[in-house]
Amino acid sequence: GQQVMQIPQYQHVQEGEDFTTYCNSSTTLSNIQWYKQRPGGHPVFLIQLVKSGEVKKQKRLTFQFGEAKKNSSLHITATQTTDVGTYFCAELTGNQFYFGTGTSLTVIP
Amino acid sequence: SAVISQKPSRDICQRGTSLTIQCQVDSQVTMMFWYRQQPGQSLTLIATANQGSEATYESGFVIDKFPISRPNLTFSTLTVSNMSPEDSSIYLCSADSPSGNTIYFGEGSWLTVV
């Protein structure tokens, strides 16, 4: 399966700063999902986007699917230490889920 | 969401040996998957565990190295055969949701091969 690229690979922010991770594909995505993995934990589903240009919010998290369905972003407003972890985008292709390269977020208190 | 239990959670294995990881889901699920995640890396799909038939392997993974069983809709095993240090990794079991649109993960099995 194809791998979706994410940038940046790592991000350190001061608590209270905003954070954005981007997910990019060379091909059109049928859907995009976002997962969070806390240090030492397993990935946990956050959200799924299906429609072109779709925007969804979960409290301080804003998820967006590009108009061309080739990219997606996750934006966190006013980060907190509880936001620490690695954020993965993933695509459901057929019956299989393929994960992006991930962005590791460190929040400095 | 489904609760997925994996065991062992952690093991140190000798080079050349094999280890079987068990995955139990608390409800019947259609799809079960096995992933590998090396420290600090992304998740790589090893195979889809099919109930009643042979697993479907991704490119770069073969049945002789990673035999998989799925005897029913709630249970699967992954064996890592003839282990080498390069097999040191976290192995994650996952299952799809009833809608099929998302997957849930077990806690993972940390294998270290020495």
Side-chain angles (χ1 to χ4, degrees):
Chain A
Q2 64 182 12
Q3 185 161 55
V4 179
M5 303 303 296
Q6 281 183 251
I7 54 172
Q9 186 176 3
Y10 303 97
Q11 184 80 61
H12 292 68
V13 299
Q14 289 287 143
E15 188 173 17
E17 291 181 340
D18 293 355
F19 160 77
T20 305
T21 174
Y22 301 90
C23 185
N24 298 301
S25 172
S26 58
T27 60
T28 301
L29 302 167
S30 58
N31 63 85
I32 196 81
Q33 304 185 358
W34 286 92
Y35 292 76
K36 177 183 178 181
Q37 184 176 27
R38 294 181 185 274
H42 59 277
V44 174
F45 173 76
L46 294 176
I47 209 157
Q48 176 175 264
L49 304 171
V50 178
K51 300 176 183 176
S52 169
E54 188 170 13
V55 178
K56 288 187 177 180
K57 293 191 176 185
Q58 288 179 351
K59 297 183 180 179
R60 295 177 295 104
L61 277 61
T62 302
F63 304 85
Q64 187 164 4
F65 204 4
E67 293 290 341
K69 299 181 75 173
K70 288 187 175 182
N71 55 69
S72 181
S73 65
L74 159 59
H75 179 82
I76 302 178
T77 303
T79 54
Q80 301 175 358
T81 54
T82 53
D83 296 325
V84 165
T86 302
Y87 293 84
F88 293 100
C89 60
E91 183 193 17
L92 172 60
T93 301
N95 291 323
Q96 282 74 36
F97 294 80
Y98 296 100
F99 283 75
T101 49
T103 296
S104 176
L105 173 64
T106 300
V107 179
I108 304 165
Chain B
S1 63
V3 176
I4 303 175
S5 303
Q6 273 185 247
K7 57 181 181 181
S9 58
R10 190 179 293 268
D11 208 341
I12 299 173
C13 307
Q14 292 293 322
R15 185 192 302 249
T17 63
S18 298
L19 181 77
T20 296
I21 303 167
Q22 297 181 5
C23 178
Q24 179 73 54
V25 189
D26 68 344
S27 58
Q28 292 187 345
V29 292
T30 306
M31 309 293 290
M32 292 183 73
F33 308 93
W34 287 97
Y35 286 85
R36 182 172 71 184
Q37 184 178 32
Q38 295 180 317
Q41 302 298 311
S42 183
L43 291 86
T44 301
L45 180 62
I46 298 172
T48 302
N50 301 310
Q51 195 266 329
S53 64
E54 196 170 280
T56 305
Y57 289 84
E58 296 294 307
S59 175
F61 298 96
V62 295
I63 188 171
D64 289 347
K65 177 66 176 177
F66 297 100
I68 287 170
S69 79
R70 179 135 184 234
N72 55 54
L73 293 175
T74 64
F75 187 77
S76 178
T77 68
L78 167 74
T79 299
V80 186
S81 302
N82 189 24
M83 287 184 285
S84 67
E86 292 71 35
D87 295 319
S88 297
S89 189
I90 305 165
Y91 292 86
L92 291 149
C93 171
S94 65
D96 69 335
S97 63
S99 68
N101 290 333
T102 186
I103 51 174
Y104 302 104
F105 286 88
E107 297 290 337
S109 299
W110 291 67
L111 299 189
T112 302
V113 184
V114 296

